[in-house]
Amino acid sequence: MTVRETCLAAKAAVSAIAYSGEDEKNAMLAAAADALTANTDVIIAANREDLLVFSRGEQLRDRLMLTDERIAAIAEGLRQLAALACPVGEVLEKTTRADGLQIERVRVPFGVVGIIYEARPNVTADAIGLCIKSGNAVVLRGSADAFRTNRMIVQIMKEAIARAGFDAGFIQLLEDCSREGAREFMRQKGVLDVLIPRGSASLIRSTLENATVPVIETGTGNCHIYIERSARLQTVLSVVLNAKTQRPSVCNACESLVIDRAFAQEHLGELIAALKERGVEVVGDKESRALCADISAATEEDFYTEFLALKLSVKIVENGAEAIAFINKHSTGHSEAILTENEELAERFLREVDSACVYVNASTRFTDGFEFGFGAEMGISTQKLHARGPMGLRELTSYKYLIRGSGQIRT
Amino acid sequence: MTVRETCLAAKAAVSAIAYSGEDEKNAMLAAAADALTANTDVIIAANREDLLVFSRGEQLRDRLMLTDERIAAIAEGLRQLAALACPVGEVLEKTTRADGLQIERVRVPFGVVGIIYEARPNVTADAIGLCIKSGNAVVLRGSADAFRTNRMIVQIMKEAIARAGFDAGFIQLLEDCSREGAREFMRQKGVLDVLIPRGSASLIRSTLENATVPVIETGTGNCHIYIERSARLQTVLSVVLNAKTQRPSVCNACESLVIDRAFAQEHLGELIAALKERGVEVVGDKESRALCADISAATEEDFYTEFLALKLSVKIVENGAEAIAFINKHSTGHSEAILTENEELAERFLREVDSACVYVNASTRFTDGFEFGFGAEMGISTQKLHARGPMGLRELTSYKYLIRGSGQIRT
């Protein structure tokens, strides 16, 4: 099927999922989860084929690779979705006008959600599960590098859903994994209701450049921690090490420290030593290098970079105003934190830092649908339209107005 | 100033409006309203200059023209905004995790809103007013045809705001009204937070094609009324005439009738006669023409067209399922109505018609921010992302998460 045909097939089956009840959706999720577990061997066999020709380096290879445990975790994720409440149908507002017209605002699914992502086959099953539970049809465009794995996962899930007695046509995987195919996918205006790119900064840039479908931008996190002069050293060491080193390859990891001069003069050496000990490479501005020999020179580019690795940039500032301006200039609007005992400045930081999640005295690593209590996550939105921060089931819905009358006309 | 410089100037002044209190915003609105009234003569003089070289036809000319009464109405609109509650700062949710981390979701302004519109100078003042009240900086890109009028309105409003003691830099009008300038405007990613096109289908298409900034699509309304067999003739006549003829040039006017065969066989002649009497030209499918000689042949294109004039298309269907499918295929997702006494079918129509506003037994003309009780309106969204239907102050806001801790780290 062509890209357009695949998208139209999903749209034609929208009603199969949009009007399904809670029990039906949960039955689909359970059937799909059981089938993935039962077919672990064939999924791993398909994944081996993808891995055999994969040559993009160890870190990406690890994201592509599936194991028994990983497939079990994917299936468990689908089962957990069944336990969440579906937000569809929620009445958000209800008013009756003087003329008796009843206006109701009701939460509805988007319709057809497009997902474009890289060689991470777990996203395939997660995205299908989230779309089932939120009542959306879904068209998946994975990477060519993971095509055999994705095709197998989708086939197993769809067959299980069909065997359970449902029309599984609302789940579609693009067969065309070319760049031209991706561009065509991004332009299915009127068929796709929303497009969610999940992956690298370059994937997101290309999506914004080409899409005519409304996009939710996700994931790029050049996250900052501002260490204000009154911060407690113990909190600083604990939060910075957590935010930088607990899982450096994820979008909510810290990439840049902004430090008050007064704090740096006293504690920079100790902080950098602790980071070095955990294997972190530190680059910094001229002033930080004058204070600490273990810091090498940062380029201007470094301050805009999401390293996703054990690397960190350091910038020394005079005060909160300078810190906030620096962060708003360089950040991607994902997550930023202030470490301080100055409550007034903390509140100013919360107000003026223009990011999805702004923290006082806590690690940026908490920006996550599960940590926020959503039970599931489709990604972290870094735009301001529609959804900001972690996106759960609610963020995969729209609303519409239902207006009931008895012949009212406008005068 | 170049397009980029103008947008950056607005962004640089974001804090002047984003952190203003209710009283300050209301003082700005009052000062601007008073200044517009006091300067009616110079606005009309600037408008005359625009009109002198305008040559795009009478209907558009009327939209461009300002009079004493129209300027008074614009000023009154600004004063009414002051009476509305500003949604910024509303706490949408608040949770405390087991580890004591407090997560708060708070409504915030977008930041910088871009508006691109046609030769309707009232939009200039309305958009500025809505952005003041919702705490947003605004960059306006009006039509070259209205440039002198827009420049005068913006200058008067900014000077009044500055005289009242505020920084008016958060209001910016693009000087470059070229097509290239418009394209550059649509690509101010990272400076504009959202772009709202207000105007014709072609303006909206060009915006979707070129923009890298998130867009809220507005306004195109190919609105349908479905007359089901059980509908009361009196309701049909009253609602259809209202929806089609009360103000045919607006987006919530009815453009297409979908009629059950059983109803058409009995009442089509009477309905069409009533429309003809009001000057409505009716085009229809073959079956409708066989039933009524006053209907001329519709092209396939007609069924996709928002006439914005005293013209209407007619399609005969067998039943509700066929009507819903026809509407979902041809509609622009704005407003659709069913006229029926069959409650079950009415509920099915509400559920399955995929439009922002779906009506039972009422005129589509109610789709309007004022009629819905928002007190003001920035346009009608026909997309599903972020806002759907009439957009008031609330729809001009985003949210962010504020997280307060005491050293929490992720384990």
Side-chain angles (χ1 to χ4, degrees):
Chain A
M1 283 204 286
T2 66
V3 168
R4 182 151 187 93
E5 284 165 356
T6 307
C7 294
L8 286 171
K11 189 176 167 78
V14 153
S15 60
I17 186 67
Y19 314 130
S20 291
E22 198 80 2
D23 290 350
E24 294 167 306
K25 292 176 189 177
N26 291 345
M28 292 185 209
L29 289 167
D34 292 347
L36 289 178
T37 316
N39 289 280
T40 298
D41 291 353
V42 295
I43 297 171
I44 288 182
N47 188 240
R48 288 241 172 85
E49 288 183 55
D50 280 331
L51 287 166
L52 212 63
V53 292
F54 189 80
S55 59
R56 292 179 196 254
E58 273 317 301
Q59 203 189 335
L60 295 176
R61 187 183 185 81
D62 182 61
R63 293 186 137 187
L64 169 57
M65 194 171 63
L66 290 180
T67 59
D68 287 18
E69 293 71 35
R70 287 180 179 185
I71 292 170
I74 288 169
E76 183 51 29
L78 294 175
R79 289 189 195 100
Q80 284 172 3
L81 273 171
L84 297 177
C86 163
V88 166
E90 187 189 347
V91 177
L92 300 167
E93 272 157 12
K94 196 168 179 168
T95 53
T96 303
R97 286 165 42 106
D99 63 1
L101 206 60
Q102 295 184 335
I103 305 179
E104 204 177 59
R105 191 161 71 99
V106 175
R107 198 180 282 288
V108 297
F110 273 125
V112 187
V113 174
I115 320 272
I116 182 162
Y117 55 108
E118 290 166 337
R120 294 176 58 190
N122 60 313
V123 172
T124 308
D126 289 357
I128 292 172
L130 283 157
C131 285
I132 290 174
K133 192 73 197 197
S134 58
N136 286 295
V138 59
V139 185
L140 301 150
R141 196 279 188 189
S143 159
D145 291 327
F147 183 66
R148 294 173 189 86
T149 315
N150 287 339
R151 186 176 51 188
M152 187 57 76
I153 290 172
V154 169
Q155 186 188 321
I156 289 166
M157 292 179 79
K158 287 182 76 167
E159 282 176 5
I161 288 167
R163 266 199 314 276
F166 305 103
D167 173 0
F170 68 90
I171 302 167
Q172 296 289 336
L173 175 72
L174 286 192
E175 288 164 12
D176 180 346
C177 294
S178 68
R179 272 165 188 271
E180 296 67 40
R183 268 198 291 271
E184 207 189 323
F185 185 49
M186 296 167 186
R187 303 177 67 81
Q188 293 305 313
K189 174 87 189 132
V191 186
L192 298 184
D193 292 294
V194 58
L195 179 61
I196 305 174
R198 291 187 61 178
S200 67
S202 75
L203 170 67
I204 287 157
R205 209 159 36 233
S206 142
T207 305
L208 292 174
E209 197 56 47
N210 290 295
T212 54
V213 172
V215 169
I216 304 180
E217 204 182 325
T218 70
T220 316
N222 183 20
C223 304
H224 295 75
I225 294 177
Y226 167 44
I227 305 172
E228 197 266 338
R229 67 195 67 200
S230 70
R232 290 198 187 130
L233 181 61
Q234 212 34 57
T235 304
V236 168
L237 289 170
S238 152
V239 169
V240 169
L241 289 175
N242 181 259
K244 181 67 251 180
T245 69
Q246 197 232 4
R247 202 169 163 207
S249 67
V250 293
C251 62
N252 56 19
C254 174
E255 305 290 9
S256 192
L257 294 181
V258 180
I259 311 178
D260 262 357
R261 181 167 298 125
F263 185 95
Q265 283 166 346
E266 227 174 312
H267 303 298
L268 188 63
E270 190 172 346
L271 174 59
I272 301 304
L275 285 161
K276 285 262 156 187
E277 198 178 301
R278 305 281 192 104
V280 179
E281 175 194 354
V282 182
V283 297
D285 65 351
K286 204 170 165 183
E287 192 174 343
S288 69
R289 296 201 308 279
L291 290 170
C292 176
D294 278 341
I295 299 177
S296 51
T299 62
E300 178 58 16
E301 185 60 24
D302 281 333
F303 287 111
Y304 287 100
T305 302
E306 185 190 21
F307 299 118
L308 296 173
L310 286 173
K311 187 174 176 181
L312 183 73
S313 65
V314 172
K315 164 78 182 172
I316 307 294
V317 294
E318 172 57 31
N319 55 32
E322 203 188 321
I324 291 169
F326 180 86
I327 290 170
N328 281 338
K329 181 174 175 194
H330 294 87
S331 122
T332 52
H334 190 297
S335 301
E336 332 289 338
I338 183 174
L339 306 181
T340 184
E341 297 301 311
N342 178 336
E343 217 167 295
E344 195 182 325
L345 189 59
E347 290 303 313
R348 181 177 171 193
F349 189 86
L350 287 172
R351 188 175 68 234
E352 297 189 12
V353 168
D354 192 16
S355 294
C357 301
V358 191
Y359 292 83
V360 175
N361 293 332
S363 170
T364 55
R365 289 277 294 111
F366 287 106
T367 302
D368 178 287
F370 293 90
E371 298 292 329
F372 275 34
F374 298 175
E377 182 190 285
M378 181 60 106
I380 314 281
S381 165
T382 53
Q383 73 182 29
K384 297 185 193 170
L385 203 67
H386 185 75
R388 210 171 178 194
M391 292 192 291
L393 291 169
R394 180 182 61 193
E395 287 71 26
L396 289 174
T397 65
S398 178
Y399 59 81
K400 75 192 215 192
Y401 287 95
L402 308 182
I403 304 110
R404 295 176 178 91
S406 51
Q408 282 85 347
I409 60 172
R410 188 157 164 194
T411 47
Chain B
M1 284 204 286
T2 66
V3 170
R4 182 152 188 90
E5 284 165 356
T6 307
C7 294
L8 286 171
K11 190 177 167 77
V14 154
S15 60
I17 186 66
Y19 314 131
S20 291
E22 198 79 4
D23 289 350
E24 293 168 305
K25 292 176 189 176
N26 292 345
M28 293 186 209
L29 289 167
D34 291 347
L36 288 179
T37 315
N39 288 281
T40 298
D41 291 352
V42 294
I43 297 171
I44 287 181
N47 188 240
R48 287 241 172 84
E49 288 183 56
D50 280 331
L51 287 166
L52 211 61
V53 292
F54 189 80
S55 59
R56 293 180 196 253
E58 272 318 300
Q59 203 189 337
L60 295 176
R61 187 183 184 81
D62 182 61
R63 293 186 136 187
L64 168 57
M65 193 171 64
L66 290 180
T67 60
D68 286 19
E69 294 72 34
R70 287 181 179 183
I71 293 170
I74 289 170
E76 184 51 30
L78 294 175
R79 289 189 193 100
Q80 285 172 3
L81 273 171
L84 297 177
C86 163
V88 166
E90 187 189 346
V91 177
L92 300 167
E93 272 155 14
K94 196 168 180 169
T95 52
T96 304
R97 287 164 41 106
D99 63 2
L101 205 60
Q102 293 183 335
I103 305 179
E104 204 176 60
R105 190 160 72 99
V106 176
R107 198 180 283 288
V108 296
F110 272 125
V112 187
V113 174
I115 319 272
I116 181 162
Y117 55 108
E118 290 167 337
R120 294 176 57 190
N122 61 312
V123 172
T124 308
D126 289 357
I128 292 173
L130 282 158
C131 285
I132 290 175
K133 193 73 196 198
S134 57
N136 286 294
V138 60
V139 185
L140 301 151
R141 196 280 188 188
S143 159
D145 291 328
F147 183 67
R148 294 172 189 86
T149 314
N150 288 337
R151 187 177 50 188
M152 188 56 76
I153 290 173
V154 169
Q155 186 188 321
I156 289 167
M157 292 179 79
K158 288 182 75 168
E159 282 177 5
I161 288 167
R163 265 198 316 276
F166 305 103
D167 172 359
F170 69 90
I171 301 167
Q172 294 290 337
L173 175 72
L174 286 192
E175 288 165 12
D176 179 346
C177 294
S178 67
R179 274 166 187 268
E180 296 66 41
R183 269 198 290 273
E184 207 189 324
F185 185 48
M186 296 167 186
R187 303 177 66 82
Q188 294 304 315
K189 175 85 190 137
V191 186
L192 298 184
D193 290 295
V194 59
L195 179 61
I196 304 175
R198 291 187 62 178
S200 67
S202 75
L203 170 67
I204 287 156
R205 209 158 39 232
S206 141
T207 306
L208 292 173
E209 196 57 47
N210 290 295
T212 54
V213 171
V215 169
I216 302 180
E217 204 183 324
T218 70
T220 317
N222 182 19
C223 304
H224 295 76
I225 294 177
Y226 167 44
I227 305 171
E228 198 266 337
R229 68 195 67 201
S230 70
R232 289 198 188 130
L233 181 61
Q234 212 35 56
T235 305
V236 169
L237 289 170
S238 151
V239 169
V240 169
L241 289 176
N242 182 258
K244 181 67 253 180
T245 70
Q246 198 232 3
R247 202 169 162 207
S249 67
V250 293
C251 63
N252 57 19
C254 174
E255 305 290 9
S256 192
L257 294 180
V258 181
I259 310 178
D260 262 357
R261 180 167 299 125
F263 185 94
Q265 282 167 346
E266 227 172 312
H267 302 299
L268 188 62
E270 191 173 346
L271 175 59
I272 301 304
L275 285 161
K276 285 264 158 187
E277 198 178 300
R278 304 283 191 102
V280 179
E281 174 193 353
V282 182
V283 297
D285 65 352
K286 204 169 163 183
E287 192 174 343
S288 69
R289 298 200 308 279
L291 289 170
C292 176
D294 277 341
I295 299 176
S296 51
T299 62
E300 178 58 17
E301 186 60 23
D302 280 333
F303 288 110
Y304 287 99
T305 302
E306 184 189 22
F307 299 118
L308 297 173
L310 286 173
K311 186 174 177 182
L312 183 73
S313 66
V314 171
K315 163 79 183 172
I316 307 295
V317 294
E318 172 57 32
N319 55 31
E322 202 187 323
I324 291 169
F326 180 86
I327 291 170
N328 281 338
K329 181 174 175 196
H330 294 87
S331 122
T332 52
H334 190 296
S335 301
E336 333 289 338
I338 182 174
L339 306 181
T340 184
E341 296 301 312
N342 178 336
E343 216 167 296
E344 196 183 322
L345 190 58
E347 291 303 314
R348 181 177 171 193
F349 190 87
L350 288 172
R351 189 174 69 234
E352 297 189 11
V353 167
D354 193 16
S355 294
C357 300
V358 191
Y359 292 83
V360 176
N361 292 334
S363 170
T364 55
R365 289 278 293 113
F366 288 106
T367 302
D368 179 286
F370 293 90
E371 297 292 328
F372 275 34
F374 299 176
E377 182 190 285
M378 182 59 107
I380 313 281
S381 165
T382 53
Q383 73 182 30
K384 298 185 193 170
L385 204 66
H386 186 74
R388 210 171 178 194
M391 291 192 292
L393 292 169
R394 179 183 62 194
E395 287 71 27
L396 290 174
T397 65
S398 179
Y399 59 82
K400 75 193 215 189
Y401 287 95
L402 308 182
I403 304 110
R404 295 176 177 91
S406 51
Q408 283 84 347
I409 60 172
R410 188 157 164 194
T411 49

